[in-house]
Amino acid sequence: MPLNDERPTSTSTVSSEDQISDTESSERCDSLTLSSDVDFSRQSFTSDSSSKHNSPSCSPPKTLTLDEVMASARDLSNLSLAHEIVVNRNFQLEPPELPQNSLEKRVKDMVHKAFWDCLESELNDDPPKYDYAIKLLEEIRDILISFLNPGANRLRTQIMEVLDMDLIRQQADNNVVDIQGLASYIINTMGKFCAPVRDDEIKKLKENSGDIVNVFKEIFRVLDLMKMDMVNFTIQNLRPELQRQSVEYERAKFQSILEKTPNALNHTTEWIKGSIEEAIRIMPPAKGSDSGQSGKSLPGPMLLLNVAYLRLLTWDKSNGPLPETLMTDEVRLQELQRSLQLYQAVASVLLIVYSSIGEAVSGLPALVERLKKMTAVLLEGMHSVDFNLTEALGNVRDQICCEVNKSLTERNFPALPVELQATLKGQICDISQQNNPIRTLVETRTQMYFKVVLSSANSNNTPPPVPPGLGLIQPELMAMGLSFVNLVNYNKQVYSPFYFSILKNITVN
């Protein structure tokens, strides 16, 4: 909470001026992960070094009571909120907005209208009545008090004296309540507490000389905004402390969930089992053994986890639900998947352009950048089920030919031949086919790049160079690699004891 002579920084100002970069996030990941990864990689599958607190419960399945389910839900909600505050520096709470025609909104509007109508009716009586006004003033007083620090005794005393409910009731009995004066005091006091972003709102309140009921309506509207500002200000202050204790806190919360719901690692176990099979399949045979599956040694834990994390880049519903240990990062993973899918398509298009009409765009980085941005815009949303990729790729081809022809004309060169444009269209539209060689090449090299990112010790500070053929999307790919490795490193820090226990159980059994 701010001191009485301090005003919380506007959350909207913070959002625009204090944007977190992946580099900033990686600095925290350095201190959290590097030493742990080394320690974790040294452990064997049969190690018994995990403590009871940090290891998943092995309790047999049991019937859960409603209280246990609700307690787990609360733990999961707290875990998700704490995780979001730690990893997303732009996180802030927003005022809830009910759907326009929802039953809840209609009921809320009716109740509010009934209250304000009753207040207006009472104040218009002769003599006026103040029952609803006193309830209103008491609620406002409590809200203003809630903005104060525990040591703000002078202001607290002043507010309690001016908004003394017993005194106001006596004044109401004698019809001498200065309702306008109380409203002015409330607005002036709000001006002392509000964030700078609310200064215009306070100014409008001071200039509002209309009906007193409308004045109080606006007071409550601005108080609601101020309460949200105060919550977000508290989150900002809480974030550094959460970051210092985030790993232990999230691990303990997940352990608590696991103790209440012993099957809370089922999807994670299946994810790791599938990753073991994938890791064994791609591993070279052990020296001196046959080339078959039986000749392959058991992969190390770090290799297994890296293979598991790489699978998340192409995870879809056919793979089943996400592992429970990654549910707090579900939205970030989806955004990463969509960005990766988009820029793989962009890279495929640009590779085709270079192979077909390379001379027309050679040595023109501004033109290539324009083609890249244009292609990305036209293919935005390609992850959607109802997205017509073939039609969008046709539009991409048309726009590329238009831009290239315009550039050629400006440089006094002839336009692209019609036959070449038709060939270009066919090649670009073929990218929609799963087995398209250009698409397969780009996707394979992208997976190779992310594999190198995960296995490189310093990739969260200095991402490795991109493979040949992906240079056209290098900035975007390196940014995605940085985001991914930070997500993975933090996840390893929190959940590696659970992963290790699963690996030990799988290999022992």
PDB file of all heavy atoms in Angstrom, residues 9 20 38 57 71 94 117-118 131 138 146 148 153 166 191 200 208 233 256 259 286 301 311 366 383 485 488 504:
ATOM      1  N   THR A   9       1.343   4.267  -8.614  1.00  0.00           N
ATOM      2  CA  THR A   9       1.549   4.521 -10.026  1.00  0.00           C
ATOM      3  C   THR A   9       0.420   3.921 -10.828  1.00  0.00           C
ATOM      4  O   THR A   9      -0.047   2.840 -10.560  1.00  0.00           O
ATOM      5  CB  THR A   9       2.885   3.876 -10.469  1.00  0.00           C
ATOM      6  OG1 THR A   9       3.908   4.380  -9.624  1.00  0.00           O
ATOM      7  CG2 THR A   9       3.190   4.215 -11.915  1.00  0.00           C
ATOM      8  N   ILE A  20       8.276  -5.977 -19.922  1.00  0.00           N
ATOM      9  CA  ILE A  20       9.342  -6.938 -19.640  1.00  0.00           C
ATOM     10  C   ILE A  20       9.875  -7.486 -20.936  1.00  0.00           C
ATOM     11  O   ILE A  20       9.125  -7.701 -21.883  1.00  0.00           O
ATOM     12  CB  ILE A  20       8.825  -8.091 -18.756  1.00  0.00           C
ATOM     13  CG1 ILE A  20       9.964  -9.013 -18.377  1.00  0.00           C
ATOM     14  CG2 ILE A  20       7.730  -8.872 -19.431  1.00  0.00           C
ATOM     15  CD1 ILE A  20       9.617 -10.033 -17.340  1.00  0.00           C
ATOM     16  N   VAL A  38      22.357 -28.814 -13.687  1.00  0.00           N
ATOM     17  CA  VAL A  38      23.554 -29.643 -13.550  1.00  0.00           C
ATOM     18  C   VAL A  38      23.335 -30.718 -12.501  1.00  0.00           C
ATOM     19  O   VAL A  38      23.638 -31.896 -12.710  1.00  0.00           O
ATOM     20  CB  VAL A  38      24.765 -28.757 -13.189  1.00  0.00           C
ATOM     21  CG1 VAL A  38      25.965 -29.626 -12.875  1.00  0.00           C
ATOM     22  CG2 VAL A  38      25.074 -27.801 -14.333  1.00  0.00           C
ATOM     23  N   SER A  57       3.262 -37.818  -4.349  1.00  0.00           N
ATOM     24  CA  SER A  57       2.680 -38.822  -3.461  1.00  0.00           C
ATOM     25  C   SER A  57       2.386 -40.099  -4.220  1.00  0.00           C
ATOM     26  O   SER A  57       1.990 -40.084  -5.369  1.00  0.00           O
ATOM     27  CB  SER A  57       1.394 -38.257  -2.844  1.00  0.00           C
ATOM     28  OG  SER A  57       0.713 -39.250  -2.157  1.00  0.00           O
ATOM     29  N   ALA A  71     -10.791 -27.619  -2.050  1.00  0.00           N
ATOM     30  CA  ALA A  71      -9.485 -27.198  -1.543  1.00  0.00           C
ATOM     31  C   ALA A  71      -8.426 -27.285  -2.640  1.00  0.00           C
ATOM     32  O   ALA A  71      -7.578 -26.398  -2.779  1.00  0.00           O
ATOM     33  CB  ALA A  71      -9.082 -28.062  -0.347  1.00  0.00           C
ATOM     34  N   GLU A  94      -8.152  -6.742 -14.207  1.00  0.00           N
ATOM     35  CA  GLU A  94      -9.035  -5.802 -14.887  1.00  0.00           C
ATOM     36  C   GLU A  94     -10.417  -5.865 -14.249  1.00  0.00           C
ATOM     37  O   GLU A  94     -10.827  -6.915 -13.735  1.00  0.00           O
ATOM     38  CB  GLU A  94      -9.156  -6.147 -16.378  1.00  0.00           C
ATOM     39  CG  GLU A  94      -7.833  -6.095 -17.136  1.00  0.00           C
ATOM     40  CD  GLU A  94      -7.311  -4.681 -17.308  1.00  0.00           C
ATOM     41  OE1 GLU A  94      -8.104  -3.738 -17.110  1.00  0.00           O
ATOM     42  OE2 GLU A  94      -6.115  -4.519 -17.634  1.00  0.00           O
ATOM     43  N   ASP A 117     -32.803   4.516  -7.327  1.00  0.00           N
ATOM     44  CA  ASP A 117     -34.169   5.083  -7.359  1.00  0.00           C
ATOM     45  C   ASP A 117     -34.674   5.345  -5.939  1.00  0.00           C
ATOM     46  O   ASP A 117     -35.299   6.384  -5.668  1.00  0.00           O
ATOM     47  CB  ASP A 117     -35.122   4.139  -8.086  1.00  0.00           C
ATOM     48  CG  ASP A 117     -34.895   4.136  -9.608  1.00  0.00           C
ATOM     49  OD1 ASP A 117     -34.178   5.039 -10.084  1.00  0.00           O
ATOM     50  OD2 ASP A 117     -35.416   3.222 -10.277  1.00  0.00           O
ATOM     51  N   CYS A 118     -34.396   4.400  -5.036  1.00  0.00           N
ATOM     52  CA  CYS A 118     -34.816   4.584  -3.643  1.00  0.00           C
ATOM     53  C   CYS A 118     -34.084   5.759  -2.997  1.00  0.00           C
ATOM     54  O   CYS A 118     -34.675   6.554  -2.249  1.00  0.00           O
ATOM     55  CB  CYS A 118     -34.562   3.306  -2.844  1.00  0.00           C
ATOM     56  SG  CYS A 118     -35.654   1.934  -3.257  1.00  0.00           S
ATOM     57  N   ASP A 131     -31.962   7.342   5.018  1.00  0.00           N
ATOM     58  CA  ASP A 131     -31.600   5.950   5.344  1.00  0.00           C
ATOM     59  C   ASP A 131     -30.625   5.366   4.318  1.00  0.00           C
ATOM     60  O   ASP A 131     -29.590   4.799   4.673  1.00  0.00           O
ATOM     61  CB  ASP A 131     -32.864   5.086   5.423  1.00  0.00           C
ATOM     62  CG  ASP A 131     -33.739   5.469   6.609  1.00  0.00           C
ATOM     63  OD1 ASP A 131     -33.222   6.141   7.518  1.00  0.00           O
ATOM     64  OD2 ASP A 131     -34.939   5.106   6.610  1.00  0.00           O
ATOM     65  N   GLU A 138     -21.585   5.211   4.680  1.00  0.00           N
ATOM     66  CA  GLU A 138     -20.845   4.258   5.508  1.00  0.00           C
ATOM     67  C   GLU A 138     -19.975   3.346   4.643  1.00  0.00           C
ATOM     68  O   GLU A 138     -18.827   3.054   4.982  1.00  0.00           O
ATOM     69  CB  GLU A 138     -21.818   3.429   6.350  1.00  0.00           C
ATOM     70  CG  GLU A 138     -21.139   2.549   7.372  1.00  0.00           C
ATOM     71  CD  GLU A 138     -22.119   1.910   8.335  1.00  0.00           C
ATOM     72  OE1 GLU A 138     -23.342   1.968   8.078  1.00  0.00           O
ATOM     73  OE2 GLU A 138     -21.662   1.362   9.353  1.00  0.00           O
ATOM     74  N   SER A 146      -9.933   1.650   3.731  1.00  0.00           N
ATOM     75  CA  SER A 146      -9.177   0.495   3.215  1.00  0.00           C
ATOM     76  C   SER A 146      -7.972   0.924   2.387  1.00  0.00           C
ATOM     77  O   SER A 146      -7.049   0.128   2.179  1.00  0.00           O
ATOM     78  CB  SER A 146     -10.093  -0.404   2.373  1.00  0.00           C
ATOM     79  OG  SER A 146     -10.416   0.208   1.132  1.00  0.00           O
ATOM     80  N   LEU A 148      -5.859   3.175   3.263  1.00  0.00           N
ATOM     81  CA  LEU A 148      -4.837   3.720   4.155  1.00  0.00           C
ATOM     82  C   LEU A 148      -3.860   2.658   4.629  1.00  0.00           C
ATOM     83  O   LEU A 148      -4.211   1.477   4.761  1.00  0.00           O
ATOM     84  CB  LEU A 148      -5.489   4.366   5.379  1.00  0.00           C
ATOM     85  CG  LEU A 148      -6.378   5.591   5.131  1.00  0.00           C
ATOM     86  CD1 LEU A 148      -7.052   6.002   6.422  1.00  0.00           C
ATOM     87  CD2 LEU A 148      -5.565   6.746   4.568  1.00  0.00           C
ATOM     88  N   ASN A 153      -2.734   7.259  10.972  1.00  0.00           N
ATOM     89  CA  ASN A 153      -3.723   7.543  12.022  1.00  0.00           C
ATOM     90  C   ASN A 153      -4.408   8.898  11.830  1.00  0.00           C
ATOM     91  O   ASN A 153      -5.597   9.039  12.124  1.00  0.00           O
ATOM     92  CB  ASN A 153      -3.052   7.486  13.397  1.00  0.00           C
ATOM     93  CG  ASN A 153      -2.540   6.089  13.707  1.00  0.00           C
ATOM     94  OD1 ASN A 153      -3.176   5.103  13.344  1.00  0.00           O
ATOM     95  ND2 ASN A 153      -1.381   5.998  14.341  1.00  0.00           N
ATOM     96  N   ASP A 166     -22.893   8.090  13.512  1.00  0.00           N
ATOM     97  CA  ASP A 166     -23.794   8.482  14.613  1.00  0.00           C
ATOM     98  C   ASP A 166     -24.160   9.963  14.500  1.00  0.00           C
ATOM     99  O   ASP A 166     -25.331  10.345  14.672  1.00  0.00           O
ATOM    100  CB  ASP A 166     -23.140   8.198  15.962  1.00  0.00           C
ATOM    101  CG  ASP A 166     -22.982   6.706  16.219  1.00  0.00           C
ATOM    102  OD1 ASP A 166     -23.788   5.936  15.639  1.00  0.00           O
ATOM    103  OD2 ASP A 166     -22.079   6.322  16.977  1.00  0.00           O
ATOM    104  N   GLY A 191      -9.108  12.250  -4.221  1.00  0.00           N
ATOM    105  CA  GLY A 191      -8.014  12.851  -4.974  1.00  0.00           C
ATOM    106  C   GLY A 191      -6.655  12.660  -4.320  1.00  0.00           C
ATOM    107  O   GLY A 191      -5.625  12.635  -4.997  1.00  0.00           O
ATOM    108  N   ASP A 200      -8.015  12.870 -14.019  1.00  0.00           N
ATOM    109  CA  ASP A 200      -9.081  13.425 -14.859  1.00  0.00           C
ATOM    110  C   ASP A 200     -10.458  13.029 -14.333  1.00  0.00           C
ATOM    111  O   ASP A 200     -11.408  13.828 -14.393  1.00  0.00           O
ATOM    112  CB  ASP A 200      -8.923  12.955 -16.310  1.00  0.00           C
ATOM    113  CG  ASP A 200      -7.748  13.631 -17.009  1.00  0.00           C
ATOM    114  OD1 ASP A 200      -7.278  14.665 -16.490  1.00  0.00           O
ATOM    115  OD2 ASP A 200      -7.292  13.117 -18.049  1.00  0.00           O
ATOM    116  N   ASN A 208     -18.709  18.230 -11.453  1.00  0.00           N
ATOM    117  CA  ASN A 208     -20.074  17.719 -11.593  1.00  0.00           C
ATOM    118  C   ASN A 208     -20.981  18.399 -10.566  1.00  0.00           C
ATOM    119  O   ASN A 208     -20.960  18.084  -9.377  1.00  0.00           O
ATOM    120  CB  ASN A 208     -20.082  16.202 -11.385  1.00  0.00           C
ATOM    121  CG  ASN A 208     -21.406  15.571 -11.775  1.00  0.00           C
ATOM    122  OD1 ASN A 208     -22.420  16.266 -11.908  1.00  0.00           O
ATOM    123  ND2 ASN A 208     -21.400  14.260 -11.957  1.00  0.00           N
ATOM    124  N   PHE A 233      -1.403  -2.192  -7.790  1.00  0.00           N
ATOM    125  CA  PHE A 233      -0.247  -1.599  -7.118  1.00  0.00           C
ATOM    126  C   PHE A 233       0.330  -2.589  -6.100  1.00  0.00           C
ATOM    127  O   PHE A 233       1.554  -2.746  -5.991  1.00  0.00           O
ATOM    128  CB  PHE A 233      -0.678  -0.299  -6.422  1.00  0.00           C
ATOM    129  CG  PHE A 233       0.425   0.388  -5.675  1.00  0.00           C
ATOM    130  CD1 PHE A 233       1.370   1.151  -6.336  1.00  0.00           C
ATOM    131  CD2 PHE A 233       0.517   0.283  -4.287  1.00  0.00           C
ATOM    132  CE1 PHE A 233       2.388   1.795  -5.647  1.00  0.00           C
ATOM    133  CE2 PHE A 233       1.525   0.925  -3.585  1.00  0.00           C
ATOM    134  CZ  PHE A 233       2.464   1.678  -4.278  1.00  0.00           C
ATOM    135  N   SER A 256       0.754 -29.819  -2.418  1.00  0.00           N
ATOM    136  CA  SER A 256      -0.503 -29.801  -1.673  1.00  0.00           C
ATOM    137  C   SER A 256      -1.648 -30.329  -2.528  1.00  0.00           C
ATOM    138  O   SER A 256      -2.489 -31.099  -2.064  1.00  0.00           O
ATOM    139  CB  SER A 256      -0.800 -28.374  -1.200  1.00  0.00           C
ATOM    140  OG  SER A 256      -2.060 -28.290  -0.587  1.00  0.00           O
ATOM    141  N   GLU A 259      -1.297 -34.118  -2.844  1.00  0.00           N
ATOM    142  CA  GLU A 259      -1.689 -34.865  -1.650  1.00  0.00           C
ATOM    143  C   GLU A 259      -3.203 -34.994  -1.550  1.00  0.00           C
ATOM    144  O   GLU A 259      -3.713 -35.981  -1.009  1.00  0.00           O
ATOM    145  CB  GLU A 259      -1.119 -34.168  -0.409  1.00  0.00           C
ATOM    146  CG  GLU A 259       0.390 -34.324  -0.284  1.00  0.00           C
ATOM    147  CD  GLU A 259       0.979 -33.415   0.779  1.00  0.00           C
ATOM    148  OE1 GLU A 259       0.207 -32.621   1.365  1.00  0.00           O
ATOM    149  OE2 GLU A 259       2.199 -33.493   1.022  1.00  0.00           O
ATOM    150  N   ALA A 286      23.950 -48.164 -29.103  1.00  0.00           N
ATOM    151  CA  ALA A 286      25.156 -48.179 -28.277  1.00  0.00           C
ATOM    152  C   ALA A 286      26.301 -48.841 -29.036  1.00  0.00           C
ATOM    153  O   ALA A 286      26.091 -49.700 -29.891  1.00  0.00           O
ATOM    154  CB  ALA A 286      24.883 -48.924 -26.969  1.00  0.00           C
ATOM    155  N   PRO A 301      18.325 -38.411 -18.066  1.00  0.00           N
ATOM    156  CA  PRO A 301      17.139 -37.642 -17.683  1.00  0.00           C
ATOM    157  C   PRO A 301      17.029 -36.303 -18.405  1.00  0.00           C
ATOM    158  O   PRO A 301      15.937 -35.873 -18.765  1.00  0.00           O
ATOM    159  CB  PRO A 301      17.309 -37.450 -16.169  1.00  0.00           C
ATOM    160  CG  PRO A 301      18.752 -37.696 -15.902  1.00  0.00           C
ATOM    161  CD  PRO A 301      19.208 -38.670 -16.916  1.00  0.00           C
ATOM    162  N   ARG A 311       8.295 -31.855 -27.615  1.00  0.00           N
ATOM    163  CA  ARG A 311       6.993 -32.359 -28.074  1.00  0.00           C
ATOM    164  C   ARG A 311       5.878 -31.335 -27.855  1.00  0.00           C
ATOM    165  O   ARG A 311       4.868 -31.345 -28.564  1.00  0.00           O
ATOM    166  CB  ARG A 311       6.643 -33.660 -27.345  1.00  0.00           C
ATOM    167  CG  ARG A 311       7.514 -34.839 -27.704  1.00  0.00           C
ATOM    168  CD  ARG A 311       7.106 -36.068 -26.890  1.00  0.00           C
ATOM    169  NE  ARG A 311       5.759 -36.506 -27.199  1.00  0.00           N
ATOM    170  CZ  ARG A 311       4.966 -37.165 -26.353  1.00  0.00           C
ATOM    171  NH1 ARG A 311       5.411 -37.429 -25.134  1.00  0.00           N
ATOM    172  NH2 ARG A 311       3.759 -37.528 -26.714  1.00  0.00           N
ATOM    173  N   ALA A 366      14.812  -4.344 -47.762  1.00  0.00           N
ATOM    174  CA  ALA A 366      13.559  -3.660 -47.421  1.00  0.00           C
ATOM    175  C   ALA A 366      12.377  -4.347 -48.089  1.00  0.00           C
ATOM    176  O   ALA A 366      11.307  -4.509 -47.485  1.00  0.00           O
ATOM    177  CB  ALA A 366      13.626  -2.190 -47.833  1.00  0.00           C
ATOM    178  N   HIS A 383      -3.936 -21.006 -37.434  1.00  0.00           N
ATOM    179  CA  HIS A 383      -4.129 -22.111 -36.490  1.00  0.00           C
ATOM    180  C   HIS A 383      -5.610 -22.456 -36.307  1.00  0.00           C
ATOM    181  O   HIS A 383      -5.942 -23.528 -35.806  1.00  0.00           O
ATOM    182  CB  HIS A 383      -3.546 -21.734 -35.127  1.00  0.00           C
ATOM    183  CG  HIS A 383      -4.192 -20.531 -34.530  1.00  0.00           C
ATOM    184  ND1 HIS A 383      -3.798 -19.245 -34.839  1.00  0.00           N
ATOM    185  CD2 HIS A 383      -5.231 -20.402 -33.665  1.00  0.00           C
ATOM    186  CE1 HIS A 383      -4.557 -18.382 -34.182  1.00  0.00           C
ATOM    187  NE2 HIS A 383      -5.432 -19.059 -33.459  1.00  0.00           N
ATOM    188  N   VAL A 485      12.957 -21.286 -23.916  1.00  0.00           N
ATOM    189  CA  VAL A 485      13.954 -21.787 -22.973  1.00  0.00           C
ATOM    190  C   VAL A 485      13.723 -21.205 -21.578  1.00  0.00           C
ATOM    191  O   VAL A 485      13.948 -21.888 -20.566  1.00  0.00           O
ATOM    192  CB  VAL A 485      15.388 -21.488 -23.482  1.00  0.00           C
ATOM    193  CG1 VAL A 485      15.772 -20.022 -23.295  1.00  0.00           C
ATOM    194  CG2 VAL A 485      16.406 -22.381 -22.778  1.00  0.00           C
ATOM    195  N   VAL A 488      10.879 -23.271 -20.143  1.00  0.00           N
ATOM    196  CA  VAL A 488      11.349 -24.615 -19.807  1.00  0.00           C
ATOM    197  C   VAL A 488      12.218 -24.593 -18.553  1.00  0.00           C
ATOM    198  O   VAL A 488      12.058 -25.423 -17.648  1.00  0.00           O
ATOM    199  CB  VAL A 488      12.122 -25.221 -20.994  1.00  0.00           C
ATOM    200  CG1 VAL A 488      12.901 -26.469 -20.569  1.00  0.00           C
ATOM    201  CG2 VAL A 488      11.158 -25.565 -22.129  1.00  0.00           C
ATOM    202  N   LYS A 504      11.922 -42.381 -12.199  1.00  0.00           N
ATOM    203  CA  LYS A 504      12.416 -43.488 -11.362  1.00  0.00           C
ATOM    204  C   LYS A 504      11.389 -44.615 -11.289  1.00  0.00           C
ATOM    205  O   LYS A 504      11.732 -45.788 -11.434  1.00  0.00           O
ATOM    206  CB  LYS A 504      12.729 -42.964  -9.956  1.00  0.00           C
ATOM    207  CG  LYS A 504      13.364 -44.016  -9.053  1.00  0.00           C
ATOM    208  CD  LYS A 504      13.745 -43.434  -7.693  1.00  0.00           C
ATOM    209  CE  LYS A 504      12.516 -43.124  -6.873  1.00  0.00           C
ATOM    210  NZ  LYS A 504      12.868 -42.712  -5.479  1.00  0.00           N
TER     211      LYS A 504
END
